Amino acid sequence: MNDNIISVRNLHKKFGNLEVLKGVNIDVNRGDVVVVIGPSGCGKSTFLRCLNLLETPTCGEIVLEGEYVFKKGEKGEKADKQTEHEIAKNINLHRQKIGMVFQQFNLFPHLTILKNITLAPVQLKKMSEQEATEKALALLKKVGLEDKANAYPPTLSGGQKQRIAIVRALAMEPDVMLFDEPTSALDPEMVGEVLKVMTELAEDKMTMIVVTHEMGFAKEVGTRIIFMDDGVIKEENSPKEFFKNPKDSRLKEFLSKIL
Amino acid sequence: MFNDIIRILSDAELVGYIVEGLLHSIAVTFVAALLGLVLGFTVAIVKIAPNNKWLKPLKIFCDLYTTVFRGTPVALQLFIMVFAVFAIPGFKPYAAILTFGINSGAYVSESIRAGITSVDKGQMEAGRALGLTWMQTMVRIILPQAIKNIIPAIGNEMIALLKETSIIGWVGSTPGSLTFDLNAAAGTIYRTIPNYLASGIIVGLCYLAVVYIMVFVIKYIEKRLRRNER
Ligand SMILES: Nc1ncnc2c1ncn2[C@@H]1O[C@H](COP(=O)(O)OP(=O)(O)O)[C@@H](O)[C@H]1O
Ligand SMILES: [Mg+2]
């Protein structure tokens, strides 16, 4: 039994001529809360989106729980036929194991909160309608929004929407959760309620990769902090060391600006 | 003029032409509209689907289709279809209906495509991130949101189609044939009562009445959709 959940090797991503990721390597273990920080435009979102293949990497390897999610050589060499086939067949299954929370929530405005949450597990035959509903209500209760089950997303505040978005991802019972600046679109007074849900999730030993500018969360909840800059991981350390003894000069500069 | 209108309306044979023309106009429009909707919907989905090597040729074909059928006059398409592509005895009305349907499909596909692309990109991403397939996300999440934007545009297209079918008689029409539509009826009546204004007003009012009903139906559908929203 391996504790490794995600393993990324030499991940590259180009948009046309713009090389955004220039060889990212990382191993994420079960229960890790990896916090990714870095200047705007350095490729944090692109990195997260490559992990569940919302963006197709240019080359590199992504392994999820021992199975290839993506594999392509530097010169475009593909994996062997068998691996290729497995990857193509399993892409939607892989995505089911990876929950994602977006900066802009992306709730489905035409569906009730309950339907937002149960749609995927029911459609993908992971649960019966009744099981999914029970699960959704339990999760809603956990984030304090059980009274909103029959409301529609446009009637909710930003903080409520983001908590629902987290619940929607959790309803698929993912093995790892990706958060892309989950509090950046929120009014300041709502940041806390979302961070609280994320903190509880971490306490429940959910594996998480979190892109955020909330340094308090990084320090207190993060198990590892990563500094991304210029398309690569420049520094990685435990929260304590990361903030006390930054080594990379760009990181020192970055920290001096935000702290 | 008023007298001529009365004369037309009190002549059972002439009224028969109008009724027949009206029914044919409606029938031709209805079948062409169905064809256009199915075709337009399919083409829109093909164009919008993510690239893969099987879809590529189909996408190119669809682009060619909308370019050609939106880029040339429908009358020209009608003549080519009736007298060249489907120059089969007895097939004339069907070739005509086919032309209107295919022509309409080109416009409908663009309306549907525009409606789909107007839905926030994040919706598809959220669906895919949950593990839903592209098609599942399209059907359960994107289309229900797009339909609100699509219906008015398609409604316009259907109304335009009704009037467009008025050229069906240009390929030749006699009473009893499907190509004998409202416009053709006006022409035939002219031979008995040579006052085009009189027959024109009657036929025009018939078109107006049908359009009025269509507008009513479209409004009703829009209202239903809005009610389901909340
Ligand atoms: N779909 C895209 N097409 C072209 N360029 C993109 C696309 N997505 C992101 N980029 C570019 O990639 C770079 C990194 O973007 P992103 O990963 O969003 O950065 P971050 O999340 O760290 O702010 C930016 O320069 C951005 O403009
Ligand atoms: Mg970003």
Side-chain angles (χ1 to χ4, degrees), chain A residues 97-113:
Chain A
K97 295 185 196 161
I98 306 175
M100 181 142 189
V101 175
F102 302 86
Q103 186 176 343
Q104 297 299 336
F105 328 126
N106 295 341
L107 294 182
F108 309 133
H110 62 300
L111 299 175
T112 63
I113 299 306

Side-chain angles (χ1 to χ4, degrees), chain A residues 54 87 103 135 138 164 202 209 221 234 239 248:
Chain A
L54 284 181
I87 290 174
Q103 186 176 343
K135 168 122 199 154
I164 301 290
I209 304 179
V221 184
K234 282 269 174 71
D248 184 78

Side-chain angles (χ1 to χ4, degrees), chain A residues 110 152, chain B residues 147-148 219-230:
Chain A
H110 62 300
Y152 283 85
Chain B
I147 193 93
K148 287 191 292 279
K219 284 247 170 75
Y220 176 77
I221 295 174
E222 278 180 50
K223 217 163 80 194
R224 279 294 297 269
L225 286 174
R226 232 172 293 138
R227 201 175 62 200
N228 284 352
E229 198 169 302
R230 178 132 310 193

Side-chain angles (χ1 to χ4, degrees), chain A residues 49 52 54-55 91-93 95-96 98-100 102 104-111 115-116 119-120 123-124 152 154-155 168-169 172, chain B residues 53 119-137 139-146 148 227-230:
Chain A
R49 294 158 57 81
N52 64 0
L54 284 181
E55 302 287 354
I91 172 159
N92 290 313
L93 287 177
R95 286 201 179 113
Q96 292 180 32
I98 306 175
M100 181 142 189
F102 302 86
Q104 297 299 336
F105 328 126
N106 295 341
L107 294 182
F108 309 133
H110 62 300
L111 299 175
K115 272 274 175 229
N116 262 271
L119 175 76
Q123 176 97 47
L124 296 167
Y152 283 85
T155 64
R168 179 177 68 179
M172 283 299 292
Chain B
K53 61 176 182 286
V119 175
D120 180 26
K121 225 170 85 256
Q123 295 288 305
M124 177 56 83
E125 293 187 345
R128 298 311 302 277
L130 285 166
L132 298 171
T133 64
W134 185 86
M135 216 21 149
Q136 287 171 332
T137 312
V139 171
R140 300 295 302 270
I141 294 163
I142 310 294
L143 287 177
Q145 296 181 60
K148 287 191 292 279
R227 201 175 62 200
N228 284 352
E229 198 169 302
R230 178 132 310 193

Side-chain angles (χ1 to χ4, degrees), chain A residues 15 18 20 38-47 55 180-181 211:
Chain A
F15 292 109
L18 178 70
V20 177
S40 175
C42 73
K44 304 181 296 294
S45 298
T46 305
F47 169 60
E55 302 287 354
D180 191 0
E181 302 201 25
V211 174

